[in-house]
Amino acid sequence: MGKRSRQRQKNQTPGRDNRDNAGWGAGYADIIKENKLFEHYYKEQGLVPEGEFEEFMDAMREPLPATIRITGYKSHAKEILHCLKEKYFKDIQELEIDGQKIEAPQALSWYPDEQAWHTNMSRKIIRKSPLLEKFHQFLVSETESGNISRQEAVSMIPPLLLKIEPHHKILDMCAAPGSKTAQLIEMLHADMDVPFPEGFVIANDVDNKRCYLLVHQAKRLNSPCIMVVNHDASCIPTLQIESDGKKDILFYDRILCDVPCSGDGTMRKNIDVWKKWTTSNSLHLHGLQLRIAVRGVEQLAVGGRMVYSTCSLNPIEDEAVIAALLEKSEGALELADCSSELPGLKWMPGVTSWKLMTKEGQWYSDWSEVPSNRHTQIRPTMFPQKDPEKLASLHLERCMRILPHHQNTGGFFVAVLVKKAPMPWNKRYPKLRKDLSSSSAAQTGGSQAASTPAGTPHLPESAVGEQEVEGPKGTIDGEAAEEAPKGASLEQEASAKQDGVCGPPPSKKMRLFGYKEDPFVFLTEDDPVFTTIQSFYDLSPVFPKLNVLTRTHEGKKRHLYMVSKELRNVLLNNSERMKVINTGVKVWSRNSDGEEFGCAFRLAQEGIYTLQPYIRSRIIRVSVEDIKVLLTQENPFLSKLEGDAHAQAKKLGMGSIVLKYIPNPNNPAEPQCPIQLCGWRGKTSIRAFVPRNERFHYLRMLGVEVFRDKQGQGQKQRVEEKEGKEEVGDEVEKEAEEEGAAENEAELDLENGDENGSSEPKMDTDNQGTSS
């Protein structure tokens, strides 16, 4: 296996230089960026302003600039921005390589608070300068710890247009790989002082494997308000929540509908699209896109917003879907005017006329021209509205088209829909909805639901999923409008069946695809695990014990997680209805050594910002210098802490602790955001349990420069030093090492160890970057 791998590397070497000269996201330099059909199609459609077509095509052939977005919550994001500007961007501006001046990263003019930046630097240039190499290491490390996201500029637009408030219930219908989902979570947590915002994000994707990519992205933000589910977005189940003792249908305040598309706006980074692009892609996708959009607006609350977006410039996937949706809504939906919402963003208004072309090159401008043998591939909803009055009432010009040559981005389409009234096929049958609520209220939900594995919905549910969309589906395909209410009644009947009115026995399970997930089991208030946790950490009386869950029914609970109250409501009332992949943020982990010190559970760094407001003991207030010591030394003696922190630590017994830094507004040179770290108070020493990339993040915020040693050397020294470590809490240390598993990205450059057998990364406390 090793031999084959080496052989493959050997064979791949020659193409390397071509990729080095491209932007970070580029590759495949040997693919010819030509597609005559693409050029002919878009010229004929007239989507690009007159005289700009050549410029448009030239931009499409250029590699896409690398774009980064500063993530995390507001006060931390400000510190990272300050670090980027002062430590990296300043120096890059004056840098010259091979006589060529390097273009410094530029802020995206339309993104709020300078939180998004783009750069044209290539891999080859980055390797030629130690300063740029360090900048690259910074980006890699901060991305791992979730403080920076690599995200295409245009992909940042939809979440901004949703106008999210912390109390909003949000559905992301086609969420993987998760960069937009991360934005949604950040907006929910706009106020860092509120550990549990009232809102939540349910992120869905049809692909089981991509759901785990989504989990990885979301987990970096450590939010108790995110749930990842695995469903087909076009028939995603209607969820229920308990409200005032009754079951209600869950309607979302905000929905992001970023549908699967042909992706011709991504040609600058997905170079194989040049080769594969054909007009039949959009004809095949139109029906699915419309079904997903219909399912979205059905689940949207009246007064709510849904953003429909694609990374395609094709009107069949864009305006045609929006026009069909608006027509079927009979006035229940309208396009919002967003012209003033992102000042600085250049965009073209949506188009009102377009034509269809088959892959053979035949054009159709009206449904009446389509021969009957083509009716299965070409549908009436793909054509523009011909009636001028009706067309004007749709306001398609409010859609936003982003063209690549205007601001050096990818191509993109976005439309913002506001729901003014219930959808017509739902409105006509309010009685059935009422019956559904009352019949479901009669069901025993609560604790019974909690004990059932979330990933095993019953067979009738698959029937519900198919039928729920049947009514709108009928209207989508151009059949009579009367079909809609009929389909809606099917939906209601099927839902009623699923609630136990009639149907197959519950023992019949539908076949699941992908991994079988562990159950989500909520603890009761009198669960024995809380006895020692309560006394050891002196938890506040308002601590929401009911929001704590574990992933096992039997045996010892290894980890404890927390979700918000609203997500608990969703989980308990829908465990048979949806396949949950992941939810909750880890707050405690079992540590068998801890039992002798008073508590078998130690704090987990992931959940410290969620949990800390409820902890009233085991807290040590630390200074900037204390944090530097704790993060740069393996196991410092208590005496290494400054006087105040040392005195606090001496009063505490052995075990898990919170290390808390509170900013001093009178000293602007120090970080102006709160920092909370998990730690362990040993017999004579103290240490921080922080994953390595997070460690790097906090050190950079404190002005300490950390960088990687030549491969292998740092690793070797660390192994030697570990052997001389203090033995207290060995198992805890081992667990912490496992959890800081992102430890494969970079190695610290280590100096000589201190007298306690621990070592420090090289540091540079001034603002200049040091060369490695």
Side-chain angles (χ1 to χ4, degrees):
M1 187 171 158
K3 187 177 176 183
R4 195 180 303 159
S5 171
R6 283 194 296 277
Q7 188 63 41
R8 191 159 51 235
Q9 282 177 354
K10 196 175 170 185
N11 295 340
Q12 286 175 349
T13 310
R16 180 95 200 185
D17 289 341
N18 294 330
R19 291 204 300 278
D20 285 346
N21 291 320
W24 292 351
Y28 311 110
D30 51 335
I31 289 179
I32 297 160
K33 297 178 181 178
E34 288 289 336
N35 188 313
K36 294 296 177 194
L37 186 68
F38 175 85
E39 290 188 46
H40 173 57
Y41 182 78
Y42 279 108
K43 250 183 195 165
E44 279 289 316
Q45 295 284 20
L47 302 175
V48 179
E50 209 172 321
E52 293 183 20
F53 195 79
E54 286 310 310
E55 198 187 338
F56 164 76
M57 287 308 299
D58 289 345
M60 280 295 218
R61 292 186 183 101
E62 284 294 312
L64 192 67
T67 322
I68 58 169
R69 183 173 58 79
I70 298 168
T71 58
Y73 310 130
K74 282 193 175 169
S75 55
H76 278 241
K78 279 180 191 165
E79 290 296 323
I80 296 163
L81 178 60
H82 177 75
C83 181
L84 271 172
K85 279 178 157 179
E86 296 302 312
K87 195 165 278 188
Y88 297 102
F89 294 169
K90 255 188 191 173
D91 297 338
I92 291 170
Q93 277 170 347
E94 291 142 27
L95 194 63
E96 277 193 25
I97 294 176
D98 298 342
Q100 181 190 348
K101 201 166 189 310
I102 298 300
E103 187 187 328
Q106 302 293 316
L108 296 180
S109 59
W110 46 268
Y111 201 94
D113 305 324
E114 292 189 315
Q115 298 286 294
W117 296 72
H118 71 115
T119 172
N120 275 318
M121 284 184 285
S122 70
R123 284 190 182 99
K124 198 170 188 178
I125 286 176
I126 282 171
R127 289 203 188 98
K128 283 190 174 181
S129 159
L131 180 64
L132 289 182
E133 175 62 27
K134 243 203 248 152
F135 173 51
H136 185 242
Q137 281 185 31
F138 168 81
L139 294 179
V140 167
S141 176
E142 292 294 319
T143 301
E144 271 299 317
S145 53
N147 299 299
I148 281 177
S149 279
R150 282 279 314 280
Q151 183 180 357
E152 197 180 333
V154 288
S155 157
M156 303 174 192
I157 296 169
L160 293 176
L161 293 175
L162 276 171
K163 290 187 165 177
I164 284 165
E165 304 283 333
H167 62 274
H168 283 156
K169 297 174 179 67
I170 306 160
L171 173 65
D172 189 349
M173 298 187 79
C174 310
S179 50
K180 296 184 192 72
T181 310
Q183 264 180 290
L184 300 175
I185 298 167
E186 288 159 38
M187 291 169 180
L188 271 187
H189 288 272
D191 184 353
M192 258 190 95
D193 296 328
V194 180
F196 292 108
E198 282 180 48
F200 56 76
V201 177
I202 293 179
N204 172 69
D205 202 86
V206 68
D207 186 317
N208 185 262
K209 286 180 183 166
R210 278 165 65 86
C211 281
Y212 292 93
L213 190 59
L214 189 52
V215 169
H216 174 73
Q217 280 275 37
K219 275 203 166 216
R220 299 181 313 157
L221 290 166
N222 299 328
S223 169
C225 304
I226 169 76
M227 180 157 73
V228 175
V229 298
N230 181 200
H231 289 279
D232 178 350
S234 65
C235 50
I236 191 167
T238 301
L239 302 184
Q240 294 178 345
I241 49 172
E242 197 168 292
S243 175
D244 302 323
K246 289 186 300 186
K247 292 243 179 127
D248 281 341
I249 286 171
L250 171 61
F251 288 106
Y252 300 95
D253 302 299
R254 297 287 185 267
I255 293 180
L256 177 55
C257 185
D258 185 51
V259 293
C261 65
S262 60
D264 58 22
T266 68
M267 283 177 159
R268 298 182 68 178
K269 65 170 185 179
N270 295 331
I271 301 177
D272 57 344
V273 177
W274 283 98
K275 203 168 50 176
K276 294 176 182 174
W277 189 91
T278 161
T279 54
S280 58
N281 295 349
S282 55
L283 302 180
H284 292 151
L285 286 164
H286 172 88
L288 173 66
Q289 290 163 337
L290 189 44
R291 287 198 301 278
I292 292 173
V294 165
R295 194 67 190 118
V297 294
E298 282 181 345
Q299 302 216 6
L300 188 63
V302 173
R305 268 189 173 213
M306 182 173 97
V307 168
Y308 174 89
S309 62
T310 74
C311 45
S312 168
L313 296 171
N314 200 325
I316 312 304
E317 303 178 59
D318 299 342
E319 286 89 351
V321 174
I322 295 297
L325 196 55
L326 290 169
E327 283 182 45
K328 304 307 172 197
S329 78
E330 298 175 15
L333 298 172
E334 76 170 24
L335 275 169
D337 181 359
C338 299
S339 53
S340 59
E341 287 188 21
L342 292 177
L345 178 68
K346 291 179 185 170
W347 54 276
M348 300 292 298
V351 296
T352 53
S353 67
W354 58 87
K355 297 182 287 184
L356 254 76
M357 186 173 82
T358 62
K359 65 179 175 186
E360 294 81 25
Q362 190 169 358
W363 289 93
Y364 299 110
S365 54
D366 192 75
W367 169 245
S368 59
E369 300 170 9
V370 181
S372 55
N373 65 338
R374 292 264 188 193
H375 280 192
T376 50
Q377 295 100 31
I378 299 173
R379 305 299 303 151
T381 51
M382 296 177 183
F383 292 94
Q385 172 62 251
K386 296 296 184 192
D387 183 327
E389 206 173 293
K390 279 187 180 173
L391 187 61
S393 70
L394 298 179
H395 296 294
L396 289 179
E397 71 283 351
R398 291 179 180 172
C399 299
M400 303 167 80
R401 291 181 151 269
I402 290 99
L403 299 179
H405 62 293
H406 284 166
Q407 283 180 307
N408 198 11
T409 62
F412 206 70
F413 172 87
V414 62
V416 182
L417 294 152
V418 177
K419 190 170 180 179
K420 296 291 186 185
M423 301 311 288
W425 53 89
N426 291 339
K427 190 166 60 179
R428 289 171 193 159
Y429 285 83
K431 281 186 181 172
L432 283 166
R433 277 227 180 265
K434 209 169 174 185
D435 293 346
L436 169 65
S437 297
S438 57
S439 69
S440 55
Q443 296 291 312
T444 54
S447 58
Q448 191 181 340
S451 63
T452 314
T456 52
H458 292 160
L459 187 63
E461 201 52 53
S462 63
V464 176
E466 292 300 316
Q467 289 173 345
E468 273 176 337
V469 82
E470 198 64 44
K473 200 169 165 184
T475 61
I476 284 164
D477 288 339
E479 293 167 18
E482 293 82 42
E483 295 275 313
K486 181 178 161 191
S489 66
L490 273 174
E491 176 187 346
Q492 305 302 342
E493 284 166 24
S495 298
K497 278 183 188 176
Q498 151 254 306
D499 267 287
V501 177
C502 65
S507 57
K508 259 182 146 180
K509 306 284 184 191
M510 87 174 194
R511 187 179 168 196
L512 290 175
F513 295 94
Y515 302 102
K516 185 176 186 296
E517 288 300 321
D518 292 328
F520 296 82
V521 185
F522 283 94
L523 306 188
T524 56
E525 282 191 312
D526 54 359
D527 193 291
V529 302
F530 285 128
T531 315
T532 55
I533 288 175
Q534 176 82 53
S535 56
F536 191 74
Y537 296 104
D538 189 17
L539 294 182
S540 157
V542 296
F543 175 71
K545 291 180 183 175
L546 291 174
N547 295 7
V548 178
L549 63 87
T550 184
R551 299 295 303 271
T552 177
H553 282 296
E554 292 134 20
K556 283 189 172 181
K557 300 168 179 68
R558 194 167 164 219
H559 301 297
L560 301 180
Y561 304 84
M562 282 192 84
V563 294
S564 65
K565 186 176 75 175
E566 288 73 16
L567 267 190
R568 178 182 186 273
N569 191 345
V570 173
L571 264 170
L572 286 178
N573 290 295
N574 300 280
S575 63
E576 291 294 304
R577 199 171 275 110
M578 61 182 181
K579 182 176 179 186
V580 181
I581 300 295
N582 197 280
T583 191
V585 60
K586 189 197 293 178
V587 286
W588 281 292
S589 285
R590 180 174 287 279
N591 159 43
S592 47
D593 278 5
E595 285 183 35
E596 60 188 270
F597 309 130
C599 183
F601 287 90
R602 66 172 179 81
L603 298 163
Q605 181 64 28
E606 297 99 305
I608 193 65
Y609 288 95
T610 301
L611 193 58
Q612 196 278 323
Y614 301 104
I615 294 176
R616 297 184 298 182
S617 73
R618 311 288 306 169
I619 299 171
I620 299 176
R621 282 277 301 271
V622 289
S623 67
V624 167
E625 290 308 312
D626 292 329
I627 295 180
K628 285 180 186 175
V629 167
L630 288 160
L631 294 181
T632 57
Q633 297 182 25
E634 284 280 0
N635 231 6
F637 287 123
L638 293 175
S639 56
K640 288 285 186 84
L641 298 178
E642 291 188 342
D644 191 24
H646 185 208
Q648 294 172 64
K650 278 169 71 177
K651 288 177 189 169
L652 295 178
M654 290 167 67
S656 193
I657 52 171
V658 180
L659 301 157
K660 188 174 183 177
Y661 163 76
I662 295 172
N664 177 6
N666 300 323
N667 188 353
E670 293 182 348
Q672 291 302 299
C673 63
I675 295 175
Q676 292 163 18
L677 309 174
C678 288
W680 184 268
R681 190 333 193 160
K683 200 178 287 181
T684 58
S685 68
I686 192 164
R687 66 167 293 175
F689 279 162
V690 183
R692 196 178 48 176
N693 280 312
E694 239 176 287
R695 203 174 269 248
F696 285 6
H697 161 67
Y698 287 122
L699 284 171
R700 286 191 188 100
M701 281 168 59
L702 303 173
V704 179
E705 183 67 48
V706 284
F707 50 91
R708 158 171 79 189
D709 190 7
K710 297 284 181 265
Q711 197 171 7
Q713 289 174 11
Q715 175 92 29
K716 185 181 173 191
Q717 189 159 352
R718 282 183 53 168
V719 170
E720 286 167 1
E721 285 151 3
K722 271 188 191 174
E723 288 167 4
K725 254 200 263 181
E726 189 176 350
E727 307 236 341
V728 175
D730 263 353
E731 187 177 327
V732 185
E733 287 165 13
K734 186 179 164 198
E735 283 175 22
E737 290 294 333
E738 283 168 7
E739 279 170 28
E743 301 204 18
N744 55 357
E745 273 299 338
E747 286 300 329
L748 282 176
D749 199 353
L750 301 170
E751 291 183 330
N752 295 327
D754 69 339
E755 75 252 33
N756 195 29
S758 50
S759 52
E760 305 180 32
K762 279 188 184 171
M763 60 179 76
D764 173 18
T765 46
D766 63 13
N767 281 336
Q768 298 299 314
T770 58
S771 64
S772 52

